[in-house]
Amino acid sequence: MKFKTKLITLVVAFLAAISFALPSQVNAANTDMVDTSNNNGLMTYDNYYDMLVHYGVKAVVQKVSEGTTYVDPTAKYNLASAKQAGLYLNGYHFARYTTVEGARAEARFAVAAAQSAGLPIGAVLATDVEASEQANNSYAANTANNKAFMEVVQAAGYRSTIYTMGSWVGTKMLVDKGWIADYPYNTSRDRYTSHHAWQFRSDQQFAGSYGNFDVSQLYDDFFTANQTPSPSAPVTPVPSQPAKSNAASDTDYAQTGVFKPSVTVNIRTGAGTGYTAVGSYAPGESLIYDHVYIRGSYVWARYLSYSGRYHYVALGVNGGESYGSRSSNAQTYAHTYYTVRYGDSFWSIARKYGISMYTLAANNGKSIYSLIYPGESLYIR
C-alpha cells in the first residue's frame, strides 16, 4: 500500500513537471497574424500560402512607412502576394513623432504610402510606438500624439490602433484596445485578451521564407474586418529558378572591384530576378565583388557574404542605366563599415551581413543591449 502510494505520488509529480516544462505545447497560442517588412525581403504567393495552410495564419500586417521619409520598398509586392494567397491585409507605420503636429505629418505620410502600396480602404493602419523618441516623451504627450495620428488615419478611411510593448501599456501611454507585444509566451499569455491582438514571439520561422517573423494571436475581428479574402493564382509568380534568358547576351568574367549603389538594390541568391531576395544594399553602402555576370537585361555582381555563401546584386541594366559606381581598387576596402539607419538593431544589421549580433556588438565595444543611433558608423569586419 505504501509502495503504491509512493508510485502514484511520483507519477503526479512527473506529470506536473511536464506541464510546467512544456507550456507552449500545453497551451499553444494561435499563429493568427504575421508581420512582414523589408527585413524579410520580397514575400511570394507561395510563402504566404504555406503560412495559411500549414500554420493557420489568416492575416498579415505589412510595414508601409517610417517617420516622414521612409517607405518600405517591399510593401506593394508583399501586400499583393498576401492578397493572392487569401490573407486579410493590414499595415503599420513605425512612429518617430514627438509632437501632435509631428504625429499628424507622419500620419499623412503613412496614409499616402499605404494607398500607394495598395492597402485597401477599411483595413487597419496601425502606429508602431516603441522608439527612443517615445521613451523620452511623457505619458500625456505620447497619448495626445497617438490620438492625433489615429484621427488623421481614420479620416482617410483606414482604421487604426496602437502597437507597443506590454511594459509601456499604462506607463508610457494610454492604450485602450491595442496590439500588444509581450514575451516570453508562457508568462504573458492571457494578459491581453481585452485587446485586439497579442504578439507572443518574434523569432517564428516558416519553411521557405527568409528570416524571423513576429507572430500574433487575435482576440477579435479588428484585423479581419471589412475584407473578404479572394485567393487566386499568382499573376506573376516568382520562379524557384530564373527563367531562361537570351543565350547570346549571357556572359561572365572574373573581376574584383567595389560597388557603391546610388539606389537601393536587392541582394539575391543567384544572378537573376527570379532568385530569392534576402536583403538589400542602400546608397552610401558598398560591397567587394569578385565576378560579373551579364544575364539578359541585367548586369550582376557576385560577392562572398560573411556567412560564407555567394550573393548577387544588380549593377544596372545591360547597355542602360547604372545602379551605382564601380571601382577596381578593392584593397582600400579591406574593412567594412555600416551606417546605422532608423529602425536598425544589432540583430537586423548582423543578419544582413551574416554574422553574429554578439560579434557585431563586441567589434564596436558594445553589448547587444547598447543603444545605437542613426548616423552612427559600426565596424563590421
Side-chain angles (χ1 to χ4, degrees):
M1 186 69 173
K2 290 182 179 178
F3 175 77
K4 184 176 181 181
T5 302
K6 184 176 181 180
L7 179 61
I8 291 173
T9 302
L10 289 173
V11 171
V12 171
F14 175 72
L15 293 175
I18 291 178
S19 67
F20 284 108
L22 302 174
S24 62
Q25 296 179 13
V26 176
N27 295 304
N30 295 327
T31 308
D32 294 323
M33 185 167 73
V34 63
D35 305 16
T36 53
S37 71
N38 59 89
N39 288 325
N40 306 112
L42 297 177
M43 299 288 293
T44 68
Y45 167 93
D46 289 336
N47 294 146
Y48 285 122
Y49 186 73
D50 182 73
M51 292 178 181
L52 172 70
V53 172
H54 296 109
Y55 298 90
V57 174
K58 56 187 176 184
V60 63
V61 56
Q62 164 70 37
K63 181 176 181 179
V64 296
S65 54
E66 178 177 335
T68 55
T69 59
Y70 180 80
V71 174
D72 193 304
T74 66
K76 186 172 185 178
Y77 185 93
N78 288 356
L79 286 172
S81 296
K83 180 179 180 181
Q84 290 167 351
L87 298 183
Y88 293 93
L89 307 182
N90 303 279
Y92 74 91
H93 168 85
F94 193 91
R96 295 291 181 180
Y97 50 71
T98 58
T99 66
V100 166
E101 283 308 309
R104 288 172 179 157
E106 288 195 26
R108 291 189 291 268
F109 182 77
V111 166
Q115 291 173 340
S116 178
L119 185 68
I121 294 298
V124 172
L125 178 54
T127 177
D128 181 343
V129 186
E130 58 175 315
S132 58
E133 288 89 340
Q134 290 83 44
N136 296 324
N137 242 5
S138 69
Y139 176 98
N142 284 333
T143 299
N145 296 343
N146 294 341
K147 182 174 183 290
F149 179 95
M150 291 190 290
E151 286 176 346
V152 173
V153 169
Q154 290 162 355
Y158 292 111
R159 293 174 298 117
S160 194
T161 190
I162 299 169
Y163 167 91
T164 194
M165 60 197 83
S167 61
W168 281 25
V169 176
T171 59
K172 296 301 295 183
M173 67 194 77
L174 173 66
V175 184
D176 183 18
K177 286 179 72 70
W179 169 25
I180 314 301
D182 203 350
Y183 328 124
Y185 155 91
N186 57 330
T187 60
S188 303
R189 64 172 293 103
D190 301 327
R191 290 186 181 184
Y192 304 106
T193 54
S194 63
H195 290 272
H196 297 307
W198 165 45
Q199 186 185 98
F200 59 89
R201 65 183 297 177
S202 60
D203 58 354
Q204 175 71 48
Q205 294 189 337
F206 298 99
S209 296
Y210 176 75
N212 293 335
F213 295 81
D214 300 333
V215 290
S216 303
Q217 175 167 313
L218 303 181
Y219 291 117
D220 56 27
D221 66 350
F222 187 72
F223 285 93
T224 58
N226 299 334
Q227 296 181 51
T228 303
S230 54
S232 60
V235 176
T236 54
V238 176
S240 57
Q241 295 294 325
K244 293 181 179 179
S245 57
N246 183 356
S249 65
D250 286 358
T251 187
D252 64 271
Y253 50 91
Q255 182 186 82
T256 300
V258 178
F259 176 59
K260 301 172 86 172
S262 58
V263 296
T264 299
V265 292
N266 285 327
I267 301 168
R268 297 189 181 274
T269 56
T273 56
Y275 287 97
T276 302
V278 295
S280 63
Y281 276 96
E285 298 181 78
S286 63
L287 62 95
I288 300 173
Y289 60 88
D290 63 6
H291 211 93
V292 173
Y293 299 80
I294 299 175
R295 292 289 182 267
S297 300
Y298 297 94
V299 179
W300 299 86
R302 183 186 75 178
Y303 70 96
L304 188 64
S305 76
Y306 302 123
S307 64
R309 297 179 180 178
Y310 279 117
H311 286 152
Y312 304 78
V313 297
L315 299 175
V317 178
N318 185 15
E321 177 189 5
S322 173
Y323 294 157
S325 62
R326 284 192 271 176
S327 167
S328 61
N329 191 8
Q331 286 74 22
T332 61
Y333 286 81
H335 298 291
T336 300
Y337 294 85
Y338 176 80
T339 301
V340 178
R341 292 177 284 173
Y342 281 116
D344 279 339
S345 65
F346 279 121
W347 177 81
S348 64
I349 298 170
R351 186 179 66 173
K352 177 184 180 73
Y353 288 98
I355 61 175
S356 163
M357 65 178 177
Y358 297 95
T359 300
L360 173 62
N363 285 348
N364 292 274
K366 300 175 182 288
S367 78
I368 61 169
Y369 303 106
S370 301
L371 294 177
I372 54 177
Y373 302 94
E376 181 178 356
S377 180
L378 294 180
Y379 170 68
I380 305 299
R381 73 166 184 176

